[in-house]
Amino acid sequence: MDEDAGRLAGALTGVEAVARGTVRVVATDALGVSLAGPLAVLHRENPSLTVELLATSSVLHYRVGEFDVAVTLHATRLPQFSTTQIAHSTHRVYTRRDDPQPFRRESDLEGIDAVGYVPELMDFPEMQFLTNLVPTARTVFRSPNIRAQQEAIAAGVGVGVLPAILGDTDERLRSVLPEKLSAQSTYWVTVSKAVADTLPVRLVLTRLTNALDALPGVEVPDSTAR
């Protein structure tokens, strides 16, 4: 109602509508920090707009008020939400930069110590890239949080699979056989249809798309890029 009133006032006075209110954004734990800066400056450009950012890779409950915009690794087909592909993300195998092992061939990874997820706590089994890329690895450290895994790899615990948005930007790490050992996942953006056409949500979606397009290892389809 506030959005409609603003548009009506703008039409009557000739003054451009102002984005106001709060937009709650949910993003994966890998994306959260990378999106924080671009989303935060929206307030500087729109002083009446507040953005709430929740970084989590847990399954959403799709309850009213849980979020306005969500960037997730899965799609929903619930009628009250609109869901579309927004980007593709590359995942690679990483080790600490000063690891003495050169890893010239895949056989060099046989039986190696590795960092991965806790199987029974994985909401998305398709994210178990370690099993596919390094099938003989021995997982010696597990965490449901991808940033905890990143820190363990940097500490020299073992190799692990990270999205390139984390691994390629961490100077403590180097990729292992990137031309052979890589995989892709899809990011989906889900928007509550009740707010999809409001100015604040449109601004957030545009900023999200532009921010994703600038991240390493992330590809935004031409039909989505703005």
Side-chain angles (χ1 to χ4, degrees):
M1 292 174 63
D2 184 56
E3 181 72 19
D4 290 340
R7 281 197 293 264
L8 178 59
L12 294 174
T13 63
V15 178
E16 186 176 355
V18 175
R20 57 168 54 88
T22 299
V23 178
R24 176 171 291 179
V25 180
V26 172
T28 66
D29 53 359
L31 275 180
V33 173
S34 299
L35 295 176
L39 289 176
V41 298
L42 274 174
H43 170 74
R44 189 174 62 204
E45 301 165 0
N46 305 271
S48 298
L49 176 63
T50 299
V51 176
E52 296 179 349
L53 176 62
L54 286 70
T56 176
S57 293
S58 299
V59 173
L60 300 176
H61 299 290
Y62 298 98
R63 294 188 293 245
V64 173
E66 185 180 8
F67 67 90
D68 299 304
V69 178
V71 183
T72 63
L73 295 166
H74 64 289
T76 181
R77 298 290 182 247
L78 296 176
Q80 64 269 42
F81 296 97
S82 173
T83 302
T84 56
Q85 288 188 19
I86 192 173
H88 303 290
S89 176
T90 298
H91 299 251
R92 301 189 178 102
V93 178
Y94 293 90
T95 187
R96 64 176 183 177
R97 182 165 295 278
D98 60 353
D99 190 332
Q101 172 60 265
F103 296 113
R104 295 189 177 92
R105 57 189 67 84
E106 292 180 65
S107 59
D108 292 338
L109 293 162
E110 291 184 3
I112 197 168
D113 288 350
V115 173
Y117 285 97
V118 181
E120 57 269 28
L121 297 180
M122 285 191 70
D123 290 328
F124 309 106
E126 64 270 21
M127 292 302 294
Q128 186 62 285
F129 292 123
L130 182 65
T131 301
N132 297 326
L133 296 178
V134 194
T136 63
R138 181 182 63 169
T139 306
V140 297
F141 178 86
R142 297 183 175 93
S143 174
N145 185 281
I146 193 66
R147 290 191 172 273
Q149 294 180 36
Q150 179 183 1
E151 292 302 311
I153 298 168
V157 173
V159 303
V161 178
L162 299 172
I165 57 174
L166 298 182
D168 284 7
T169 57
D170 191 333
E171 295 182 352
R172 302 170 300 173
L173 306 178
R174 63 179 171 90
S175 58
V176 175
L177 300 173
E179 68 283 356
K180 294 182 179 180
L181 301 179
S182 66
Q184 275 202 336
S185 62
T186 298
Y187 285 123
W188 300 82
V189 61
T190 299
V191 184
S192 171
K193 290 182 178 178
V195 297
D197 291 329
T198 63
L199 179 57
V201 168
R202 293 200 307 270
L203 288 174
V204 166
L205 286 174
T206 298
R207 187 57 54 88
L208 275 175
T209 304
N210 292 338
L212 285 168
D213 201 27
L215 293 175
V218 175
E219 178 186 356
V220 175
D222 292 339
S223 59
T224 306
R226 304 171 190 182

